Amino acid sequence: MATTAPASARPRRLGARTRKAVLVTHIVSVSVWIGLDAALGVLVFTALLTDDTQVAAVAWQALVLIALWPMFTASLAGLASGAVLGLGGKYGLVRYWWVAVKLAINLLMSALILFALRPGLVEAAAYGRELATGSTALPEPTGLLFPVFVAPTLLLIAVLLSVYKPWGRIRERAAPSRR
């Protein structure tokens, strides 16, 4: 005799319209995050490679404006919408490896924005202000090349995981016992 779980024990699924709205929010937030990472790279390379002191000063100062709170907000929007999709969809939040890896990437990168990237951006902005006044008392920021390459790579991995959905379930369902 097969027993079914009570309605309260079954996971709640999103309706089609709600799922699509949350999916659009997820795609847009992650797209904004990727765009902000690209802008971060453009500004860092502009600041490092230009011979024009004023251009470098503006680029260093602009980094903190576009890459800190807007990027962190986009990461949180991606995290929240992804969690809603996972909890309200067929893939679950940690039922499949590809979803769990995406969740881990997002959590790691969101934390890195606040705790690793933020100090470098604040330092870069201070350097840019000094550079704009004609002073070079502070050393040129050097720690921003790592995020310029790592963040887009991790975000690309997350996109590829979404498209290809590799691996499988984290834990296979147990086969029904035969009696």
Side-chain angles (χ1 to χ4, degrees):
M1 171 195 250
T3 60
T4 58
S8 62
R10 280 186 240 138
R12 184 161 163 82
R13 294 280 173 103
L14 296 174
R17 292 178 101 168
T18 304
R19 183 189 166 285
K20 287 178 183 177
V22 175
L23 181 60
V24 167
T25 301
H26 188 66
I27 291 169
V28 169
S29 64
V30 173
S31 298
V32 166
W33 191 358
I34 291 169
L36 289 169
D37 263 323
L40 174 78
V42 168
L43 287 171
V44 166
F45 281 112
T46 298
L48 289 172
L49 300 176
T50 187
D51 291 330
D52 188 332
T53 306
Q54 290 305 318
V55 169
V58 169
W60 287 124
Q61 291 177 71
L63 283 171
V64 76
L65 295 174
I66 64 127
L68 185 53
W69 297 114
M71 191 180 292
F72 185 66
T73 302
S75 75
L76 290 182
L79 180 63
S81 58
V84 169
L85 286 170
L87 291 171
K90 66 181 179 180
Y91 294 111
L93 197 54
V94 288
R95 194 177 306 153
Y96 288 85
W97 281 108
W98 67 272
V99 178
V101 171
K102 279 184 59 177
L103 177 62
I105 287 171
N106 192 309
L107 288 169
L108 172 71
M109 290 183 64
S110 295
L112 286 174
I113 289 169
L114 282 185
F115 301 113
L117 184 60
R118 186 174 147 260
L121 294 174
V122 171
E123 176 187 310
Y127 178 76
R129 285 189 298 277
E130 286 283 320
L131 202 56
T133 64
S135 172
T136 55
L138 297 174
E140 186 174 54
T142 57
L144 293 173
L145 282 177
F146 184 74
V148 166
F149 291 106
V150 173
T153 301
L154 288 173
L155 289 170
L156 176 61
I157 289 169
V159 168
L160 292 172
L161 290 172
S162 295
V163 173
Y164 291 101
K165 299 172 179 47
W167 311 314
R169 283 186 172 268
I170 291 178
R171 203 171 20 149
E172 292 297 324
R173 289 186 180 174
S177 61
R178 293 185 181 163
R179 289 185 182 202

